[in-house]
């Protein structure tokens, strides 16, 4: 609702744009909250966590409800939940371009996603665990984090592919040709869900 009232003009180096009062007001509120948390110190973090932890899950649930109510969502969900398992073991040749997509690249992308999502390669988990006492139940916590992370990714996939099914129906193209894969996928899918 807030974005529908936006009066956007083309911007560039020749026209830097003007100030929007609403945006300035919201930025002042946000930065005031950040400064307040800095002044209050670490005791204010628990109150920030009460909002920042559940908010992404609330947004995912709302986007999921929105996505599955769109026409064509079942096509996207079927594509997500019934993958082409032959891609894991056999190379695929594009009939139009002759380009070969190896099965090893699928495994490499899966490993990259796992290391990225759990931040295993960045050492954050090791650093955090060094602050724990020796009797800390590290195995239980690691399994909990891994399962919650994987469940969140699976649920986010349901959200994205329900909207991709809608885009496939609206554009009249197969679902694997709706948008290009990669990080830019979310910037095309989520505005569609919010529109």
């Amino acid at each position: 609702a807030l974005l529908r009232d936006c009066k956007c003009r083309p911007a560039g180096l020749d026209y830097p744009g003007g100030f929007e009062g609403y945006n300035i007001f919201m930025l002042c509120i946000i930065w005031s909250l950040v400064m307040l948390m800095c002044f209050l110190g670490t005791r204010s973090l628990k109150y920030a966590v009460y909002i920042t932890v559940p908010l992404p899950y609330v947004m995912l649930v709302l986007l999921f409800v929105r996505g599955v109510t769109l026409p064509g969502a079942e096509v996207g969900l079927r594509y997500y939940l019934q993958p082409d398992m032959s891609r894991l073991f056999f190379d695929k040749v594009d009939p139009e371009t002759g380009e070969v997509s190896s099965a090893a690249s699928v495994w490499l992308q899966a490993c990259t996603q796992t290391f990225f999502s759990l931040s295993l390669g960045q050492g954050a988990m090791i650093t955090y665990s060094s602050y724990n006492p020796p009797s800390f139940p590290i195995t239980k916590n690691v399994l909990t984090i891994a399962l919650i992370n994987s469940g969140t990714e699976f649920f986010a996939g349901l959200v994205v592919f329900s909207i991709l099914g809608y885009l496939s129906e609206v554009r009249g193209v197969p679902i694997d040709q709706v948008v290009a894969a990669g990080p830019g996928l979310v910037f095309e899918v989520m505005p569609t869900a919010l529109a």
Side-chain angles (χ1 to χ4, degrees):
L2 295 174
L3 296 176
R4 292 185 183 149
D5 297 330
C6 180
K7 300 175 209 67
C8 298
R9 294 182 293 272
L13 293 175
D14 54 337
Y15 178 73
F19 292 107
E20 296 288 335
Y22 178 76
N23 291 346
I24 292 172
F25 175 70
M26 294 309 284
L27 279 173
C28 288
I29 288 176
I30 290 169
W31 278 108
S32 299
L33 290 172
V34 169
M35 293 304 293
L36 181 66
M37 286 177 16
C38 287
F39 287 129
L40 292 176
T42 56
R43 67 174 185 246
S44 68
L45 288 178
K46 77 174 185 180
Y47 300 112
V49 169
Y50 289 153
I51 295 172
T52 58
V53 170
L55 186 63
Y57 289 101
V58 169
M59 291 300 298
L60 271 178
V61 168
L62 292 175
L63 288 172
F64 176 73
V65 170
R66 169 74 172 141
V68 296
T69 58
L70 294 171
E74 66 278 352
V75 174
L77 292 174
R78 191 176 316 112
Y79 186 81
Y80 179 60
L81 297 173
Q82 295 175 349
D84 181 11
M85 296 304 278
S86 66
R87 290 284 296 123
L88 297 175
F89 307 106
F90 304 107
D91 295 344
K92 181 180 177 185
V93 179
D94 187 357
E96 295 177 10
T97 63
E99 183 179 332
V100 177
S101 174
S102 70
S105 69
V106 174
W107 287 97
L108 179 65
Q109 290 172 359
C111 290
T112 302
Q113 173 64 27
T114 302
F115 276 93
F116 172 72
S117 67
L118 288 174
S119 302
L120 295 177
Q122 298 172 0
M125 293 291 188
I126 296 169
T127 303
Y128 291 149
S129 66
S130 68
Y131 291 105
N132 293 329
S135 62
F136 199 73
I138 189 78
T139 306
K140 177 184 167 191
N141 287 352
V142 166
L143 288 174
T144 302
I145 289 171
L147 290 174
I148 289 173
N149 181 56
S150 298
T152 302
E153 288 178 347
F154 181 77
F155 187 64
L158 290 173
V159 172
V160 169
F161 277 86
S162 66
I163 299 165
L164 282 177
Y166 166 72
L167 288 174
S168 171
E169 184 169 303
V170 167
R171 295 179 184 174
V173 295
I175 195 164
D176 55 349
Q177 297 175 4
V178 173
V179 294
L185 172 72
V186 74
F187 295 110
E188 189 164 345
V189 171
M190 290 307 146
T192 302
L194 296 173

